[in-house]
Amino acid sequence: MALRSVVSRKTLAPALRHYRSLTTFTLPDLPYDYGALEPAISGEIMRLHHQKHHQTYVTNYNKALEQLDAAVSKGDAKGVVQLQSALKFNGGGHVNHSIFWQNLKPVSEGGGEPPHGALGWAIDKDFGSLEALVKKINSEGAALQGSGWVWLALDKEQKILKVETTPNQDPLVTKGVSLVPLLGVDVWEHAYYLQYKNVRPDYLTNIWKVINWKYASEVYEKESA
Amino acid sequence: MIYRPPLMMDYSVAGVNTKLSTIAEICYTISSNFVVTETLRTPSSKLLQADTPTNTDTVEGKEIQKKKREREKEMVLQLVMAPNWCGCGVASANSTKISTNAFKMSSNRFNFSKPYPGRAYRVTAYYSLTTPPYELDALEPYMSKRTVEIHWGKHHNEHVERLNKHLKTSAFYGHTLEEMVKATYNNGSPLVEFNDSSSVWSHDFFWESMQPNGGSMPKGGVLDQIKKDFGTFTNFKDEFTFAALSIFGPGWVWLYLKKNERKLAVAPTQNAISPLVWGDIPIIGLDMWEHAYYLDYKDDRSAYVNNFLDHLVSWHSVMVRMMRAEAFVNLGEPKIPVA
């Protein structure tokens, strides 16, 4: 009995100290094969993009979260602030790429099919036509200097669709808290270089063949409800 | 009718960086009814004036006409023959008159840019793409010919062309590239010309930071300075590599000389920023944008940086740059070698 109380006290103490466990993230699986998006995006690019780049973001994000946890419990304000850029970069990379894999679909499973329903009408209302929207996203993507993302966003407050760009791995919310990403196009060089080399406009023209408008419509209908 | 030449017709393009080759086209504003009168020195001078035709009916008139033609021929030939006619202080005369006849006479020689008669032109001097000091496949196998071709021929070239496009309407036309980088950085709120001018400068610097059979160790004063500022040469390599891999997104990593503290240091930068913007002297620059290594190394950035340090970096360039830096930073008493 005495032994048990000693044991229970020992087990209680750590349980009290670490009552909050750290959630770590894992690399999500692709809902299609690496080569399924050919010839718009090559299998080699998809494999590297998913297994190397996205995995690195996940790994480093987890590391940063652990460091953040330690800094928070220690009350190290300077440490917490110093970690913010690593969190934004790696966390943003994880968030953005997770959306990106959903935004793509093989042609055989409906990739490239134009949006119907509510999203289709909203596009016509806010941009004139799907072609005009595609043209706008392509021009913003091509003009982006350095690395970043181009987004088709829904502004929940203003109830309007917008095209936004974010630099590096900044998630869309950095451009506005009421923005919801419907489609994101990765214009980092690793997303297209092996296949298209420096010709980013060709990549942007071709990616529309595998864009998953169904996912975008679902998100739109859910968020604008 | 008076035609006022555009403001950019300043022939004293003293700001052009003589290190880079320049493409200068001189054309003259001509018109079938006007005589161009310009001075080579000051742009604000004579404007296009209507030429009152000389009355060639009188003997006097004929003489005047003859003299006019002679002088015009002379002027045109002088202009054409002038060695440095891009304007750097050559101005052979205070004024040059070129009538359409004189122009036609010398049109064969004066055809710098295939002028169309009657069309207005202006003088412009732009930057052009400098060539790496080695053949495109000379850096194999550490940097493939394909990478150099695309990196230099497409990316670097694109920056030059975009810079020139900006310069057509920019207030920074005529600045040297280094001046332009510093000025357009605007202390952190970069102007539109910054990206392209800084990229052009950095890429020129990058190609010259490498050489075939580079890498290994520096010698002499350079090695001593590195040992003084980093402890050991390996420490320097480690710090350089760590900085290169720490960049979030596209950027560069630099070994640079701090002017005030008179020591070497390593720093990573984002996008197209270089130590020029904060006033220090770059010594080595390594492009960490993905296009610089992706074709050869895919995502393996540490292999790229290690190969750069071990096989590509040109310590000869470093030595020359340090020597040049001595003109701006007091690195100590010069050691006069004793024969």
Side-chain angles (χ1 to χ4, degrees):
Chain A
M1 253 86 55
L3 194 64
R4 205 150 34 125
S5 63
V6 167
V7 166
S8 58
R9 206 177 57 233
K10 271 201 178 138
T11 52
L12 255 181
L16 278 172
R17 254 208 306 276
H18 302 286
Y19 61 93
R20 185 196 67 221
S21 65
L22 184 65
T23 326
T24 52
F25 295 87
T26 52
L27 183 69
D29 283 328
L30 287 191
Y32 37 78
D33 288 333
Y34 289 130
L37 300 179
E38 300 250 9
I41 305 178
S42 72
E44 196 192 6
I45 289 184
M46 290 304 294
R47 187 178 54 82
L48 281 166
H49 205 172
H50 182 245
Q51 281 182 0
K52 294 287 164 96
H53 292 277
H54 191 174
Q55 179 64 72
T56 309
Y57 290 130
V58 169
T59 314
N60 290 341
Y61 187 41
N62 288 337
K63 236 192 299 182
L65 284 173
E66 276 171 37
Q67 290 171 336
L68 178 70
D69 196 43
V72 166
S73 3
K74 264 194 296 180
D76 179 7
K78 183 165 153 245
V80 168
V81 173
Q82 259 180 326
L83 282 164
Q84 295 310 307
S85 62
L87 287 167
K88 185 163 86 159
F89 183 70
N90 293 300
H94 171 54
V95 164
N96 294 342
H97 284 89
S98 304
I99 300 172
F100 189 49
W101 307 136
Q102 304 288 326
N103 286 152
L104 301 172
K105 202 92 174 154
V107 178
S108 54
E109 293 173 41
E113 258 181 48
H116 306 292
L119 180 58
W121 298 330
I123 288 176
D124 286 344
K125 175 170 79 82
D126 292 327
F127 297 99
S129 65
L130 182 61
E131 287 74 38
L133 169 65
V134 167
K135 202 160 151 222
K136 178 145 199 235
I137 291 183
N138 287 354
S139 67
E140 302 243 341
L144 200 152
Q145 302 255 30
S147 303
W149 289 75
V150 204
W151 302 96
L152 171 63
L154 164 65
D155 190 328
K156 274 177 85 163
E157 258 178 68
Q158 297 176 15
K159 300 215 185 352
I160 194 173
L161 292 176
K162 289 187 180 155
V163 169
E164 292 283 353
T165 57
T166 52
N168 294 339
Q169 292 295 354
D170 292 4
L172 182 59
V173 289
T174 55
K175 276 284 170 92
V177 288
S178 57
L179 293 176
V180 174
L182 302 177
L183 283 183
V185 179
D186 190 354
V187 290
W188 279 64
E189 282 165 338
H190 63 235
Y192 61 87
Y193 210 77
L194 291 176
Q195 188 179 353
Y196 296 95
K197 312 291 184 301
N198 67 304
V199 196
R200 197 192 280 177
D202 280 358
Y203 159 70
L204 288 167
T205 316
N206 285 332
I207 199 174
W208 295 103
K209 301 182 185 146
V210 289
I211 286 284
N212 186 3
W213 283 109
K214 234 177 35 188
Y215 170 80
S217 296
E218 284 166 19
V219 175
Y220 177 75
E221 272 152 36
K222 193 172 86 158
E223 296 289 340
S224 57
Chain B
M1 278 205 307
I2 306 256
Y3 168 72
R4 194 167 152 265
L7 291 169
M8 294 250 256
M9 202 182 279
D10 181 340
Y11 297 95
S12 57
V13 282
V16 171
N17 189 339
T18 50
K19 188 170 84 106
L20 302 179
S21 58
T22 54
I23 305 168
E25 307 166 38
I26 288 195
C27 323
Y28 277 86
T29 319
I30 56 170
S31 142
S32 47
N33 293 322
F34 292 77
V35 166
V36 176
T37 311
E38 303 157 347
T39 65
L40 282 174
R41 288 225 177 93
T42 53
S44 57
S45 60
K46 307 277 181 137
L47 312 170
L48 200 63
Q49 292 165 0
D51 184 34
T52 34
T54 328
N55 185 359
T56 47
D57 287 344
T58 61
V59 171
E60 205 189 313
K62 286 204 182 89
E63 292 280 312
I64 294 173
Q65 184 76 329
K66 196 165 151 212
K67 283 214 185 93
K68 238 201 227 175
R69 292 280 174 259
E70 293 286 304
R71 203 150 53 113
E72 278 153 1
K73 243 202 293 189
E74 221 181 280
M75 292 304 182
V76 168
L77 287 178
Q78 267 183 348
L79 260 179
V80 162
M81 303 288 269
N84 201 358
W85 51 265
C86 71
C88 306
V90 169
S92 53
N94 280 329
S95 70
T96 321
K97 273 191 194 167
I98 303 174
S99 74
T100 48
N101 289 343
F103 184 84
K104 279 181 199 152
M105 272 192 281
S106 61
S107 62
N108 291 336
R109 215 193 289 223
F110 192 56
N111 194 1
F112 286 109
S113 63
K114 309 178 195 53
Y116 297 101
R119 183 87 71 88
Y121 299 90
R122 10 187 284 247
V123 181
T124 45
Y126 290 134
Y127 290 107
S128 69
L129 187 65
T130 57
T131 321
Y134 35 76
E135 299 196 347
L136 298 184
D137 60 355
L139 301 179
E140 297 258 14
Y142 309 106
M143 191 177 283
S144 66
K145 178 178 181 206
R146 193 100 178 86
T147 298
V148 179
E149 268 178 345
I150 298 178
H151 195 175
W152 173 67
K154 301 276 177 180
H155 291 276
H156 188 178
N157 197 14
E158 203 191 324
H159 284 300
V160 174
E161 285 178 1
R162 269 214 297 258
L163 174 63
N164 287 337
K165 211 161 72 154
H166 285 310
L167 288 179
K168 278 195 182 18
T169 50
S170 168
F172 295 99
Y173 173 84
H175 279 51
T176 65
L177 207 46
E178 289 192 20
E179 284 173 355
M180 209 184 318
V181 169
K182 189 120 191 255
T184 53
Y185 182 64
N186 199 20
N187 291 313
S189 321
L191 308 173
V192 68
E193 302 93 343
F194 172 71
N195 226 327
D196 292 311
S197 56
S198 188
S199 294
V200 170
W201 189 92
S202 301
H203 279 93
D204 287 343
F205 194 79
F206 175 52
W207 300 124
E208 291 175 4
S209 299
M210 297 190 288
Q211 64 167 85
N213 299 318
S216 63
M217 292 258 295
K219 297 192 195 69
V222 173
L223 183 59
D224 290 342
Q225 186 74 43
I226 287 182
K227 281 193 184 150
K228 178 167 174 252
D229 295 329
F230 293 95
T232 65
F233 183 66
T234 319
N235 272 359
F236 153 70
K237 282 211 285 187
D238 290 341
E239 222 182 285
F240 193 85
T241 311
F242 182 78
L245 300 179
S246 74
I247 305 173
F248 288 154
W252 290 71
V253 61
W254 304 91
L255 172 68
Y256 67 103
L257 179 64
K258 290 189 178 187
K259 268 195 197 158
N260 293 333
E261 291 152 68
R262 304 208 303 253
K263 62 187 294 213
L264 289 173
V266 164
T269 56
Q270 295 271 56
N271 292 335
I273 296 174
S274 74
L276 289 180
V277 311
W278 66 77
D280 283 332
I281 303 176
I283 302 289
I284 298 177
L286 174 58
D287 191 352
M288 291 304 297
W289 284 57
E290 284 174 329
H291 61 239
Y293 60 86
Y294 213 79
L295 291 178
D296 297 332
Y297 297 95
K298 312 280 189 312
D299 69 310
D300 193 355
R301 298 199 302 169
S302 56
Y304 168 61
V305 182
N306 287 332
N307 276 343
F308 172 80
L309 285 172
D310 293 336
H311 301 285
L312 289 177
V313 66
S314 171
W315 292 110
H316 296 301
S317 281
V318 169
M319 184 165 67
V320 166
R321 287 163 180 171
M322 292 287 288
M323 282 164 62
R324 181 177 177 271
E326 283 187 289
F328 303 93
V329 181
N330 182 3
L331 290 175
E333 272 301 310
K335 287 205 191 91
I336 310 296
V338 178

